[in-house]
Amino acid sequence: INPSRADCLSQLAYINWDKMNYEESLVLIKKAIEVEPDWPLLRLEHIYLLYTLNKVEEAKSELFRSYTLLEQPIDIPNNAVDRY
């Protein structure tokens, strides 16, 4: 796993998420967004994690910011692997 790649950071976040280590998962998703800020799936994961951690206002702000940054509604393919 290459920690400088957004997809690898996302997978590490999933592992932590699965173990209910949401704070660490949030850190990893934020790093992944820094690497690849235009990947909508990362932004949705970030919003979901914020909501899971009961950071509702921050999640709302991030949702609005995501719409603004991406200048389009967030859309995820049926199969996230299709991105590659």
Side-chain angles (χ1 to χ4, degrees), residues 19-72:
K19 294 180 178 184
M20 298 172 71
N21 188 354
Y22 301 122
E23 290 289 346
E24 181 61 23
S25 186
L26 185 60
V27 168
L28 291 163
I29 288 297
K30 285 180 178 182
K31 287 181 183 178
I33 290 171
E34 288 176 14
V35 173
E36 201 165 333
D38 295 330
W39 188 4
L41 182 59
L42 295 176
R43 296 212 170 256
L44 283 175
E45 291 168 353
H46 184 216
I47 293 163
Y48 185 76
L49 278 166
L50 289 170
Y51 184 77
T52 300
L53 292 166
N54 204 28
K55 299 180 180 184
V56 177
E57 291 306 314
E58 195 175 341
K60 287 179 186 177
S61 294
E62 180 59 27
L63 180 61
F64 179 74
R65 185 173 28 260
S66 294
Y67 281 135
T68 304
L69 288 173
L70 300 172
E71 298 179 350
Q72 62 187 9

